[in-house]
Amino acid sequence: MSVVSQNLQAEPALAGKHVLVVGGTSGIGRAAAEKALAAGASVTVASRDPQRADGTFSAPVRTEHVDISDTASVEALFNRVGAFDHLVLSAGPGAMGSVRDLSSADARPFMDIKFWGYYDAVRAASGAIAQDGSITMVGGGASRKHAPGRPVMAAVNAALEAFGKANALDLAPIRVNVIAPGLVDTPAYSGMPEEMRQGMYAGYGNAVPAGRVGKAEDVASAALFLMTNTFVTGTVIDVDGGVHVS
């Protein structure tokens, strides 16, 4: 049999695997779910509004409700899901405003959702995930590429990166990694006026070596890589168009 024939007959990379994507009904999470489906996995997507998944994926998915800011809701999700192989966490808004603008009371909910919510999810997952599985957390490039008005985003995402590296040791052989995206065109910015949003995207594209704003699929491709490469753990992958060298 030729090498070409062997490749054509190879099983999809995630065949027989169960992937859980929290925040999987829109944006980066949805794109990660689609990549997992294309790679042969069975997929469960969880979000505050799971009905957004109805009939919109390329293949059937299981849908679950979860409020990532509520520990009991997170624990109940993992109890319902049971055993699985890979977890992708892609939930939580960004917090804009300087320390002068945001009181601790205003800033705390962002940490509650994106850090403590992920913490609860990783804790709950640790007893159910396959020992040869993986946990991928979507953070953000604001952790190390600083800009005005983003101290809370910087702090939350930096905390996630440290949390991921530490858990790669504590939870081994389960692999734990973090993706740090740059600016990505997702529904998270749909509330902005169109002209302002396009101007923001154009400005970013002009500033980075890649010459464009990111797409959800760019980040999802990194998530698929982290699910399938069994020699990668404890790392942070920048998917940002080169913003750190611009």
Side-chain angles (χ1 to χ4, degrees):
M1 183 182 292
S2 70
V3 173
V4 172
S5 297
Q6 288 177 336
N7 288 338
L8 288 175
Q9 294 183 13
E11 276 194 327
L14 292 176
K17 302 298 184 180
H18 180 192
V19 176
L20 170 60
V21 184
V22 176
T25 57
S26 67
I28 292 169
R30 178 189 171 86
E34 287 282 12
K35 288 286 186 184
L37 286 169
S42 62
V43 175
T44 297
V45 295
S47 74
R48 286 188 178 185
D49 185 11
Q51 291 183 342
R52 285 189 296 186
D54 291 349
T56 63
F57 280 88
S58 59
V61 298
R62 173 180 171 183
T63 59
E64 292 284 353
H65 174 268
V66 68
D67 179 352
I68 195 70
S69 67
D70 184 321
T71 299
S73 179
V74 173
E75 291 175 348
L77 168 69
F78 284 89
N79 286 335
R80 294 193 303 272
V81 169
F84 65 99
D85 298 282
H86 300 284
L87 172 64
V88 178
L89 295 169
S90 179
M96 295 297 295
S98 73
V99 72
R100 293 189 181 97
D101 303 321
L102 295 174
S103 68
S104 60
D106 292 330
R108 190 170 288 114
F110 298 99
M111 181 68 80
D112 287 344
I113 293 172
K114 195 164 185 180
F115 180 76
W116 289 113
Y118 281 27
Y119 184 101
D120 284 337
V122 171
R123 187 171 188 273
S126 64
I129 194 168
Q131 290 296 289
D132 62 349
S134 70
I135 298 172
T136 300
M137 296 180 282
V138 179
S143 58
R144 285 161 288 120
K145 181 65 174 182
H146 301 300
R150 300 194 297 181
V152 176
M153 291 174 64
V156 172
N157 289 311
L160 280 180
E161 292 179 10
F163 183 62
K165 289 177 180 292
N167 277 296
L169 290 174
D170 285 350
L171 301 183
I174 299 165
R175 295 176 295 105
V176 185
N177 296 287
V178 178
I179 302 173
L183 182 61
V184 179
D185 182 3
T186 71
Y189 301 105
S190 61
M192 294 177 63
E194 178 68 14
E195 184 176 352
M196 182 182 298
R197 184 171 69 254
Q198 293 304 324
M200 177 178 71
Y201 291 163
Y204 190 90
N206 290 334
V208 300
R212 64 174 175 86
V213 70
K215 301 176 182 178
E217 292 75 15
D218 298 324
V219 187
S221 292
L224 180 62
F225 166 75
L226 293 172
M227 284 186 272
T228 56
N229 190 314
T230 59
F231 200 55
V232 180
T233 190
T235 193
V236 178
I237 295 184
D238 294 318
V239 184
D240 58 18
V243 71
H244 284 87
V245 297
S246 61

